[in-house]
Amino acid sequence: MWRHHAVWGAGLTIILALGQALGQDTQSPTELLSQAKRNLRNDSKGAQRMLREIIAIINMDPLGQQYEKTKAEAFLLLGESYLNGGRIADAVTQFDSAKVLVAEEDKIYIRAVENQEEIGRLFRPLRIKIKNRKIPLLSYIEGVKIEFLYPKRLEASQINRLQILQDPQRYREDEFFFGRVDSEGRPFLEIKYFPVVTFPGRSVGYSLLIKGGEEVRRYRFQFSSAETQPLEISWEEEAGWKLVEKVPEDLVKLELLEKYRFKPARALPVDKFVELRIKPRQHIYIPAETHTELVLQDSEDSGWERAYSIALYVLTGTAMFLGFWGAR
């Protein structure tokens, strides 16, 4: 019997309610974990749901610290199930959660590290650039319809990952998000955890199929540990894509006339101050949680040079700008 000598407060009531929802109100988290293990092979989604519920039960238990090892193993098993199903980013998060609960010499920690090393061996970021139009930074493609033809010799987790990328109902918006720029200032999208061909011998590689109406465009590319060059494609109108701008919560965007040149008064990290010029405007992205000072550089109005302070208040969800340029 799973019993605690504790006050029967709201927290314990919730724990019992979760236990009853599982139909296991007399079982401890450790016993529930054993049941989840038995279900992993035959009912992976049901086992995943049970593992998440076990973690929730332990988190809400006033005496849950005694089940830290059980919780760590639940995180580990959940991560391995996500990995097998192609949910690689979710798997990495679960492994990280497992590692912080146990010592480095613990078997759970060692297994979590081995799984993460396996992810590093099987998956790499794939960069895609658009070569025939200017793309605003911090935007994503909506309504993308793509298909990857891939080598037959891939691991099951790699194939499952590709199936997720090809299903608009399953991948996330940020899978096709232009969130970074290259050394030439060109935005590119980066698909994290794209399967790497690891089998020896020359592979036929991948083909990216972009469908628009009755026309299909094919882009062949290699993707192995030795060949991870960016893939350049054309944006075809008939593909039916739509570009939507989405500025992350930790940044604020300013749109200024191109004739003005602003620089931060103090050096900022590369990913915290980004400039992109798309005539007739320039787009500047600055941190939302700090007081940022921009200095007007040489321009047609060089006599107006002065420092403008920009106070950004994220608590209210607004930004207050001092200046004359009419940023929006």
Side-chain angles (χ1 to χ4, degrees):
M1 293 288 287
W2 174 34
R3 298 182 184 275
H4 289 313
H5 298 288
V7 177
W8 286 76
L12 192 54
T13 301
I14 294 174
I15 294 169
L16 292 176
L18 281 170
Q20 290 167 357
L22 289 170
Q24 301 290 346
D25 57 306
T26 61
Q27 288 186 287
S28 71
T30 305
E31 291 169 329
L32 292 173
L33 183 64
S34 297
Q35 181 178 339
K37 287 180 181 179
R38 293 193 295 269
N39 293 343
L40 273 171
R41 178 169 296 182
N42 298 324
D43 182 12
S44 60
K45 290 186 177 180
Q48 289 172 4
R49 183 170 55 252
M50 180 173 285
L51 290 167
R52 291 192 296 266
E53 289 171 343
I54 290 169
I55 294 168
I57 288 172
I58 296 173
N59 286 341
M60 288 187 289
D61 186 351
L63 301 178
Q65 190 171 2
Q66 64 182 304
Y67 294 109
E68 289 281 89
K69 189 75 174 284
T70 300
K71 183 164 70 170
E73 189 172 0
F75 277 128
L76 175 67
L77 294 174
L78 190 56
E80 289 178 342
S81 183
Y82 285 155
L83 172 56
N84 293 334
R87 295 173 55 179
I88 312 303
D90 292 330
V92 171
T93 299
Q94 304 306 314
F95 295 142
D96 285 338
S97 297
K99 287 161 57 179
V100 301
L101 296 173
V102 293
E104 292 185 9
E105 62 272 15
D106 192 281
K107 291 182 180 180
I108 293 175
Y109 188 100
I110 294 171
R111 203 161 113 192
V113 170
E114 290 174 346
N115 279 306
Q116 290 182 322
E117 290 175 347
E118 181 75 353
I119 289 172
R121 185 180 71 86
L122 296 178
F123 301 92
R124 299 282 178 84
L126 171 65
R127 293 182 176 183
I128 300 179
K129 297 180 180 180
I130 307 297
K131 61 184 178 181
N132 63 331
R133 71 165 59 188
K134 290 185 176 180
I135 303 296
L137 185 65
L138 304 179
S139 55
Y140 67 92
I141 299 175
E142 184 178 78
V144 60
K145 296 179 180 179
I146 65 172
E147 181 180 348
F148 289 103
L149 300 183
Y150 49 85
K152 293 181 178 179
R153 298 187 69 186
L154 288 178
E155 302 286 349
S157 61
Q158 293 178 307
I159 295 175
N160 288 333
R161 171 66 174 148
L162 287 169
Q163 290 174 345
I164 288 175
L165 291 174
Q166 294 176 153
D167 184 352
Q169 302 300 318
R170 299 177 67 192
Y171 64 68
R172 303 180 313 209
E173 288 178 351
D174 60 6
E175 301 284 9
F176 298 91
F177 182 66
F178 291 87
R180 300 176 62 186
V181 294
D182 61 16
S183 58
E184 299 176 350
R186 295 173 58 196
F188 61 86
L189 64 83
E190 185 175 78
I191 302 177
K192 294 183 178 180
Y193 307 115
F194 193 86
V196 174
V197 178
T198 58
F199 290 99
R202 184 67 179 174
S203 169
V204 295
Y206 286 95
S207 288
L208 169 63
L209 305 183
I210 300 178
K211 301 179 180 180
E214 297 181 357
E215 186 175 0
V216 177
R217 291 186 177 270
R218 182 191 299 262
Y219 297 90
R220 292 184 174 88
F221 64 100
Q222 300 291 329
F223 200 72
S224 65
S225 57
E227 298 175 276
T228 56
Q229 294 299 312
L231 172 62
E232 291 201 347
I233 65 176
S234 297
W235 182 302
E236 307 299 338
E237 295 295 340
E238 60 270 20
W241 292 357
K242 180 182 178 182
L243 200 63
V244 179
E245 186 172 19
K246 184 176 182 180
V247 180
E249 293 181 356
D250 62 340
L251 294 179
V252 166
K253 174 187 173 182
L254 306 177
E255 285 188 18
L256 318 175
L257 292 177
E258 193 179 25
K259 65 179 182 179
Y260 298 116
R261 294 289 185 270
F262 285 88
K263 294 291 183 183
R266 296 182 180 181
L268 294 173
V270 175
D271 59 342
K272 294 300 182 182
F273 180 80
V274 180
E275 287 183 285
L276 184 66
R277 291 184 175 87
I278 302 178
K279 292 184 179 182
R281 291 183 173 271
Q282 60 175 316
H283 303 244
I284 295 179
Y285 304 86
I286 56 177
E289 297 182 354
T290 60
H291 180 88
T292 303
E293 185 177 271
L294 298 182
V295 178
L296 178 64
Q297 306 294 303
D298 290 337
S299 69
E300 296 177 11
D301 298 313
S302 58
W304 288 68
E305 289 181 9
R306 54 170 295 189
Y308 287 85
S309 295
I310 299 178
L312 306 172
Y313 301 96
V314 294
L315 290 180
T316 61
T318 62
M320 312 212 34
F321 308 111
L322 300 178
F324 60 90
W325 59 84
R328 68 175 189 223

